[in-house]
Amino acid sequence: MANQATLILIKPDGLKKSLTGNILTRLSETKLEIVAAKIATVSRELAEEHYRHLKDKPFFSDLIKYLRGELHNRRKVMALVYWGEDAIKKCRQLAGSTNPEEAESTSIRGSYGRITTSGVYENVIHVSSEDKEAEREIKLWFHPDEIIVNLYPTKEAVEKEKKIKVWA
Ligand code: IDP
Ligand code: MG
């Protein structure tokens, strides 16, 4: 299996429960490389685009609230790109099943996830499920210059008169 990239999100419940260290320690068992990392706020557009494959599900609007941190008063996620051999399978195995009640008890979701009374699967972490999805998601969450390896083709562009913030 060739090198592969996957998006990982530590979701707002993971941040609120102070699980960042535990989750990164678990993921380090994979011996994969972290090639991008940041804390990000999640706009409605980003959340809806990220979970667009679920937009017809009855739990979609709660899922968007969950990813945006509205259920945990933590308006942020930690986004990372893990890279290396068989990255998706290795990370999904450690993450465990989508439904935290069905996830193996020692997996990340099995250890730390729960189903809320309103039925949201609060499962602490997101992992891309296959190559095409990983590419779509990584491009959604990161600019090319935030990733320290060349994962996908890029092109040069000039942004005219774009206001940016610099240190005062
Ligand atoms: P995945 O996160 O394991 O790839 P997906 O099917 O892509 O699973 O679903 C994305 C997220 O939507 C899940 O991680 C979970 O938070 C939520 N979700 C998925 N299915 C259900 C469901 O049946 N009820 C409630 N929440 C769900
Ligand atoms: Mg998925």
Side-chain angles (χ1 to χ4, degrees), residues 31-142:
K31 306 281 196 290
L32 297 166
E33 237 184 280
I34 297 173
V35 295
K38 65 181 174 186
I39 296 288
T41 53
V42 187
S43 66
R44 173 165 301 283
E45 294 70 36
L46 177 57
E48 289 180 351
E49 188 57 27
H50 178 81
Y51 278 137
R52 70 175 184 189
H53 62 295
L54 298 170
K55 69 176 190 319
D56 297 326
K57 299 281 185 194
F59 56 82
F60 185 68
S61 75
D62 280 344
L63 180 60
I64 297 309
K65 283 189 194 150
Y66 167 37
L67 190 66
R68 298 193 67 207
E70 290 178 34
L71 307 181
H72 296 90
N73 204 20
R74 287 286 186 289
R75 303 296 178 114
K76 60 194 170 189
V77 299
M78 186 167 188
L80 305 106
V81 178
Y82 277 74
W83 185 71
E85 208 182 304
D86 227 357
I88 292 177
K89 193 168 144 216
K90 286 176 179 164
C91 292
R92 282 193 74 93
Q93 189 136 19
L94 277 177
S97 303
T98 305
N99 179 338
E101 299 295 331
E102 288 172 2
E104 206 189 309
S105 51
T106 56
S107 67
I108 294 168
R109 288 166 165 180
S111 303
Y112 304 125
R114 65 168 190 158
I115 302 179
T116 64
T117 45
S118 58
V120 182
Y121 292 179
E122 288 186 3
N123 54 10
V124 183
I125 183 179
H126 167 81
V127 185
S128 311
S129 62
E130 42 92 22
D131 269 324
K132 272 278 155 241
E133 187 183 84
E135 177 174 352
R136 187 184 83 82
E137 292 176 352
I138 289 168
K139 289 177 174 175
L140 198 57
W141 287 85
F142 288 94

Side-chain angles (χ1 to χ4, degrees), residues 24-35:
L24 296 181
T25 300
R26 291 301 310 277
L27 290 171
S28 70
E29 290 170 26
T30 61
K31 306 281 196 290
L32 297 166
E33 237 184 280
I34 297 173
V35 295

